[in-house]
Amino acid sequence: MLEKKFKGKSILFISPVFFGYEVAIKSKLIDLGANVFHVDDRPSNSSITKGLIRIHKNLAKYSIDKYYKQIAEELEYQEFDVVFLLSPEALSLAFLDFCKHRWPKAYYVMYTWDPIKNRKHTLEFAPYCNRVFTFQKDDAEKYNFSFKPLFYLDIYGGVREKSLKKDYDLCFMGTTHSDRYKIVQKVQDWCIERNLKCFFYFYLQGNSLYWFNKLKSNDVMPSMADVSFFKMSSTDIVQVMASSNAVLDIQHPRQTGLTIRTLETLGAGRKLVTTNAEIKGYDFYDKRQIRIIDRIEPTANLDANFFMDDQCYVSLRKIEYCSIEYWLQEIILERL
């Protein structure tokens, strides 16, 4: 039986909609006994609204102010022990003022899974919080935040326990940005030469974003035929990972923190090929299971024998503290 560690806690959870992770986090908190009210950080998830907010949220100020005024009216007579902010973008400061006035004794905590240099507006929310967590060590040191890596969902931990036929030696599933496609191309050619079986899936939110990226980017972009404008379901992602011996992870060039795909891969007991050399500084690093590659010459450090060995070398004990339950417990529960 699942221990109800959050029993009796009422949580206001504010986050953008992001590949269903906000749903999984809310569900886990409820499973652990909490009462949760989730607020979508954005007034709309249309491409136009997202684009305006990314450029500067004041471009969508009218719709943001109207949206959060409605939320404040809806929550006026509710009580919360915790206000949990997860990588907010559009969040209204006036709404945060309302929250602090309405629930002055609540525990305010923020976790950001974006580098501050990419989301500098995040700093405006920090003064409202009792504690701020980040997935990047350098941001934690620079801004006096608490460092905590990302998490993996229970469904990935379940993969580790199963013995499944491996259809692929290597897989990649992710959005198209920066130099990702160029790196994947080189790795794919290397794998084909060695008869390694691969699964690669590139995603973009829409045609307009594809052409915008193609016009502004100096990097090689895939053809439209190589890009999907439909998200893979979480079930399909887990199935591909379960059917693969290794997973390719390419973080954004301006990011040093570990991606969520990294934790999902290790939580699932799969081998990892990554461009992020920072992983050497984590206690679960094991070169027998994790291969670091260079962004410029990604195949220089690859070895076909790495893909032939499907043994799991990173112990569950070392990676378990990145499970979603431990993650939520450290961020929220330890200060209550």
Side-chain angles (χ1 to χ4, degrees):
M1 179 180 289
L2 189 66
E3 187 179 350
K4 301 293 185 180
K5 298 177 180 178
F6 286 78
K7 186 177 180 179
K9 303 302 179 186
S10 185
I11 300 174
L12 175 58
F13 173 36
I14 304 172
S15 77
V17 171
F18 187 75
F19 294 104
Y21 285 108
E22 77 290 346
V23 176
I25 291 169
K26 178 181 177 180
S27 296
K28 190 63 177 180
L29 284 168
I30 292 173
D31 287 344
L32 292 168
N35 298 310
V36 184
F37 189 100
H38 178 252
V39 172
D40 187 347
D41 170 65
R42 307 183 190 105
S44 166
N45 284 290
S46 69
S47 297
I48 293 176
T49 301
K50 285 182 179 179
L52 291 174
I53 292 170
R54 286 288 168 86
I55 295 169
H56 198 293
K57 72 177 186 180
N58 281 344
L59 294 174
K61 187 176 187 306
Y62 175 79
S63 58
I64 289 172
D65 289 346
K66 181 180 178 181
Y67 171 70
Y68 276 103
K69 183 179 179 182
Q70 292 172 341
I71 297 295
E73 290 172 356
E74 187 175 351
L75 298 179
E76 175 68 32
Y77 299 104
Q78 297 198 38
E79 298 295 336
F80 294 105
D81 303 297
V82 180
V83 178
F84 176 27
L85 313 180
L86 178 59
S87 280
E89 289 184 295
L91 182 57
S92 162
L93 295 184
F95 178 73
L96 274 179
D97 286 329
F98 159 79
C99 291
K100 295 291 283 188
H101 176 76
R102 179 64 186 80
W103 306 291
K105 296 182 180 179
Y107 174 51
Y108 289 77
V109 61
M110 178 169 65
Y111 185 97
T112 174
W113 57 29
D114 287 305
I116 295 298
K117 66 176 68 174
N118 291 354
R119 299 281 187 270
K120 289 188 176 180
H121 64 271
T122 304
L123 295 175
E124 69 184 12
F125 307 125
Y128 290 85
C129 298
N130 299 101
R131 197 172 182 188
V132 179
F133 287 84
T134 175
F135 79 132
Q136 291 215 151
K137 290 181 178 179
D138 52 355
D139 280 346
E141 293 171 0
K142 183 175 181 179
Y143 299 104
N144 197 29
F145 294 164
S146 298
F147 169 68
K148 176 66 180 171
L150 279 160
F151 57 88
Y152 63 88
L153 302 178
D154 294 341
I155 194 170
Y156 291 96
V159 170
R160 175 187 284 260
E161 301 166 5
K162 299 175 182 177
S163 179
L164 301 174
K165 177 181 176 292
K166 305 297 196 309
D167 297 318
Y168 309 108
D169 296 294
L170 180 68
C171 71
F172 170 85
M173 297 162 285
T175 54
T176 304
H177 65 58
S178 61
D179 56 353
R180 266 188 172 177
Y181 184 69
K182 184 164 57 178
I183 294 170
V184 170
Q185 269 193 318
K186 291 179 179 179
V187 172
Q188 184 176 28
D189 290 344
W190 183 91
C191 288
I192 290 172
E193 290 174 4
R194 288 154 183 81
N195 295 316
L196 296 176
K197 294 174 289 184
C198 301
F199 178 93
F200 296 120
Y201 187 91
F202 284 98
Y203 167 73
L204 269 177
Q205 291 177 333
N207 290 346
S208 57
L209 186 58
Y210 173 85
W211 289 111
F212 176 76
N213 286 349
K214 198 170 183 67
L215 289 171
K216 76 163 189 172
S217 177
N218 294 321
D219 289 302
V220 177
M221 284 284 291
S223 66
M224 288 193 75
D226 292 329
V227 176
S228 175
F229 300 109
F230 298 94
K231 297 177 184 176
M232 283 184 74
S233 69
S234 56
T235 302
D236 288 342
I237 291 172
V238 172
Q239 183 57 46
V240 170
M241 188 178 291
S243 303
S244 302
N245 192 30
V247 177
L248 175 60
D249 170 69
I250 305 167
Q251 94 280 16
H252 195 283
R254 295 196 297 269
Q255 176 178 323
T256 60
L258 302 184
T259 65
I260 202 163
R261 183 71 77 232
T262 293
L263 282 310
E264 290 168 346
T265 300
L266 298 177
R270 294 309 185 252
K271 302 191 105 175
L272 176 71
V273 178
T274 180
T275 52
N276 195 340
E278 294 294 320
I279 199 169
K280 284 185 177 180
Y282 292 75
D283 65 354
F284 51 71
Y285 173 72
D286 190 315
K287 64 181 180 181
R288 294 172 296 177
Q289 189 165 341
I290 301 168
R291 182 60 54 94
I292 299 169
I293 61 173
D294 181 69
R295 302 189 84 99
I296 307 301
E297 295 295 338
T299 63
N301 197 33
L302 289 179
D303 176 2
N305 292 327
F306 178 79
F307 299 95
M308 300 298 105
D309 175 15
D310 63 357
Q311 184 174 342
C312 181
Y313 294 99
V314 176
S315 69
L316 179 60
R317 181 184 60 80
K318 284 192 173 182
I319 196 65
E320 193 175 29
Y321 82 100
C322 290
S323 68
I324 187 171
E325 183 171 335
Y326 278 85
W327 185 80
L328 287 169
Q329 192 172 318
E330 183 172 338
I331 291 171
I332 298 175
L333 200 59
E334 287 192 1
R335 291 293 295 271
L336 292 177

